[in-house]
Amino acid sequence: MLLRTLSNLDDLDYYGKKVLMRVDFNVTIGKDNEIGEDYRIRMTIPSIEYLTKRGAKLILMSHLGRPKKTAEMEYKQTNKIQQYATSGIDINAIKQFSLLPVAKRLSELIQMYNVSFIDDCIGPKVQKEIDKMDRGDILLLENLRFHSGEELNDYNFSKELASLADIYVNDAFSVSHRKHASIYGGARLFDKKLAGLNLKKELEYLSMVKDDPVKPFILVVGGSKIKDKIGALENLLPKIDKLLVGGAMAYTFLNANGVRTGDSPIDYDHFQWIKNALSKYPDKIVLPIDHIVTSQSFLKFKQEESNEKKEEGKEGNYNYTFDSLPSSVFSPSLVSSPSSSVSLKKGAIEEGLLGVDIGIETVQQYSSIISQNSNGLVVWIGPMGVFEIGLFRNGTNNIAKSMALAFWRGSKTIIGGGDTLDALKKAEVSELEVTHVSTGGGATLKFLAGDEMPGIEVLNKIH
Ligand code: 3PG
Ligand code: MG
């Protein structure tokens, strides 16, 4: 699809014009309002600077989190459901979803421009603020999802958004699979609607993966949710040379292949699909041959411990390399219970144990397949194990390092999904050692599956 992008308008077309740009500033914000990974914010800088340098008045809009769902859950938990039903959502209950901290980070990042923030996204107050803007100014609007019209793609809300500006830009690939007002309904009402530079870049790389992958093409897939990945796998399997499977989903693949997987959770909803894929592509799909295993109770204990540490701002990291991982590790506090051990298992996993990371031989095998791909394409989506816990991070760390090696040797490497970027950071691999890091999680998978992307299709619609 031929997309109209920022350079399709003359520079002068932006001068003094109000440009409404949808960005995805859905980042993690901690208790003290500090921003976690700001990759999504940084990726919008090229479009922001392109427009402000040309004298546009730039209005940025984004969502943050899922305030409505979170508030509903809280109301249910605190039995205030009656109150919720009569008075709707209490805005104070959702303050944690304010974009104000993001405005602060953005102004730190682009010091040359004046960034302001307004605590709503539509209405007279917002209009007034926009009227005060000068050429080159930037205004970030409050979380779009504080209005229910956003997710409902409501026509009136869309009209209110569209009344704010002359030109519409979508620079939020990672929400382009959502048919929301700021992405679809509102965008539709503009004559001039364009793709931003980050959206353009995402589409260039991901279209290459989807339609015309450089060969040899290796796909590394992990994480737990098979459901979200099946469309992409279905579409890509015919074009892939090797599919390396890790993470929780590997145990469903192994189980479907007749291997005993102990207490590892199995996704029976997708069992048949996996069986078919395994019999259709027996030489392409590579499964782990050994595993780091532990008991449910020890995993739970480590998860709780890691959550506590995160709250204190420090995270457990055992930093095992694959030659130093001992065959059995005991937690000092649980030493009396032998089921608390972590061990390395080859082949079948017995009852009472579950796989939490790929094992050492698998790491060696996967790492060499990835890093020896010196002129092809490696795409990585999803961690190899429970990587939030240092003890179960060895596989993921080594995949990240092998990805970097493949990149340095000349391969195109692409990673997708929020978790994978986090994993890369934990392995101390820089995002500059990857050809492209996609800002999208769900959007990337939907795009690779060939699903409809309303936020992209709308850019070519004449209303
Ligand atoms: C994401 O984090 O994947 C995007 O920001 C979309 O968020 P959503 O899944 O809440 O629509
Ligand atoms: Mg998401």
Side-chain angles (χ1 to χ4, degrees):
M1 171 170 38
L2 210 58
L3 261 195
R4 285 171 61 79
T5 62
L6 297 187
S7 56
N8 279 84
L9 290 188
D10 288 337
D11 287 359
L12 274 176
D13 291 335
Y14 294 112
Y15 191 77
K17 290 284 162 36
K18 291 174 279 187
V19 177
L20 180 64
M21 183 156 89
R22 177 55 156 107
V23 289
D24 185 1
F25 288 165
N26 183 25
V27 293
T28 317
I29 300 185
K31 277 206 190 107
D32 305 322
N33 282 340
E34 86 286 3
I35 306 224
E37 177 52 61
D38 63 358
Y39 182 73
R40 280 178 167 172
I41 307 177
R42 287 183 282 122
M43 290 311 281
T44 62
I45 291 177
S47 288
I48 292 177
E49 296 200 326
Y50 186 99
L51 293 163
T52 43
K53 274 187 187 142
R54 284 162 180 77
K57 301 171 181 176
L58 182 57
I59 307 153
L60 300 175
M61 56 175 175
S62 176
H63 75 287
L64 178 72
R66 295 175 176 170
K68 188 166 173 278
K69 280 207 183 87
T70 311
E72 279 169 358
M73 251 163 57
E74 261 163 35
Y75 277 105
K76 266 182 208 149
Q77 274 160 8
T78 52
N79 283 326
K80 284 200 244 159
I81 197 74
Q82 198 51 42
Q83 182 188 337
Y84 174 64
T86 49
S87 61
I89 297 172
D90 169 11
I91 195 93
N92 285 312
I94 50 179
K95 274 227 173 92
Q96 53 170 308
F97 295 102
S98 171
L99 279 164
L100 179 61
V102 175
K104 289 191 180 139
R105 170 59 58 93
L106 185 63
S107 59
E108 284 160 19
L109 288 170
I110 39 170
Q111 297 154 353
M112 275 158 64
Y113 299 94
N114 186 9
V115 181
S116 41
F117 176 76
I118 173 98
D119 63 0
D120 205 346
C121 61
I122 51 164
K125 196 165 61 172
V126 175
Q127 286 286 2
K128 226 171 115 193
E129 199 64 24
I130 293 174
D131 291 341
K132 285 196 276 180
M133 287 173 84
D134 253 335
R135 291 187 297 272
D137 280 351
I138 300 164
L139 173 68
L140 174 62
L141 308 180
E142 183 55 292
N143 193 345
L144 291 155
R145 290 190 184 170
F146 285 174
H147 288 266
S148 55
E150 164 65 355
E151 285 167 88
L152 296 171
N153 194 34
D154 174 69
Y155 181 66
N156 288 324
F157 183 70
S158 297
K159 252 185 19 197
E160 294 250 27
L161 287 178
S163 74
L164 302 179
D166 310 299
I167 300 168
Y168 173 86
V169 177
N170 177 0
D171 209 22
F173 171 78
S174 45
V175 278
S176 295
H177 58 315
R178 303 267 179 242
K179 203 169 188 168
H180 294 171
S182 65
I183 301 151
Y184 188 80
R188 219 185 150 147
L189 301 172
F190 282 83
D191 287 327
K192 291 179 181 150
K193 32 188 185 288
L194 308 162
L197 301 173
N198 183 42
L199 175 61
K200 180 171 173 257
K201 182 165 168 247
E202 289 267 20
L203 290 176
E204 277 164 7
Y205 281 113
L206 296 174
S207 303
M208 180 269 282
V209 174
K210 179 165 77 89
D211 304 322
D212 192 16
V214 178
K215 304 282 271 175
F217 174 16
I218 295 162
L219 177 64
V220 188
V221 66
S224 54
K225 292 183 214 143
I226 297 179
K227 179 171 166 262
D228 295 354
K229 291 170 189 130
I230 248 169
L233 288 178
E234 175 103 30
N235 212 19
L236 296 179
L237 260 168
K239 300 169 195 156
I240 288 171
D241 293 288
K242 285 273 180 249
L243 172 68
L244 312 182
V245 188
M249 62 192 280
Y251 304 104
T252 302
F253 274 78
L254 285 165
N255 203 296
N257 228 11
V259 177
R260 283 195 307 147
T261 50
D263 288 359
S264 311
I266 302 302
D267 180 349
Y268 288 107
D269 291 343
H270 302 99
F271 212 64
Q272 199 49 48
W273 184 90
I274 289 172
K275 276 194 155 175
N276 294 345
L278 284 165
S279 68
K280 197 163 169 196
Y281 303 104
D283 301 328
K284 285 191 184 188
I285 304 179
V286 186
L287 302 179
I289 41 182
D290 61 349
H291 326 277
I292 305 295
V293 297
T294 190
S295 64
Q296 264 317 342
S297 58
F298 186 66
L299 175 62
K300 198 162 161 255
F301 165 76
K302 291 306 288 180
Q303 274 166 334
E304 280 164 7
E305 189 187 66
S306 131
N307 285 342
E308 279 162 25
K309 283 192 181 142
K310 232 183 229 155
E311 279 176 16
E312 288 164 25
K314 47 185 153 83
E315 222 180 310
N317 194 349
Y318 285 76
N319 270 336
Y320 286 116
T321 63
F322 60 81
D323 355 271
S324 73
L325 188 90
S327 60
S328 181
V329 181
F330 291 89
S331 160
S333 52
L334 282 179
V335 100
S336 56
S337 152
S339 66
S340 66
S341 66
V342 175
S343 52
L344 179 66
K345 275 271 173 303
K346 193 157 179 176
I349 302 174
E350 65 251 45
E351 299 298 305
L353 294 174
L354 74 163
V356 282
D357 194 5
I358 53 175
I360 291 166
E361 275 184 54
T362 310
V363 165
Q364 277 168 329
Q365 187 196 10
Y366 284 15
S367 295
S368 84
I369 296 176
I370 295 167
S371 62
Q372 278 164 25
N373 188 3
S374 57
N375 54 4
L377 169 67
V378 191
V379 178
W380 178 29
I381 298 167
M384 296 291 102
V386 189
F387 80 110
E388 312 81 71
I389 296 165
L391 204 50
F392 312 136
R393 192 181 296 158
N394 184 59
T396 305
N397 271 353
N398 280 287
I399 296 298
K401 288 179 181 151
S402 314
M403 289 288 291
L405 202 51
F407 170 80
W408 289 119
R409 286 179 173 153
S411 257
K412 294 211 176 345
T413 58
I414 296 179
I415 74 166
D419 272 4
T420 323
L421 181 58
D422 198 21
L424 201 70
K425 290 264 152 96
K426 286 197 163 75
E428 291 174 7
V429 172
S430 153
E431 61 199 43
L432 301 176
E433 296 176 286
V434 186
T435 310
H436 179 66
V437 179
S438 177
T439 51
T444 307
L445 293 168
K446 284 243 157 79
F447 182 82
L448 293 176
D451 289 354
E452 196 196 341
M453 300 289 283
I456 294 160
E457 275 133 43
V458 75
L459 299 178
N460 284 337
K461 279 212 164 86
I462 302 165
H463 66 90

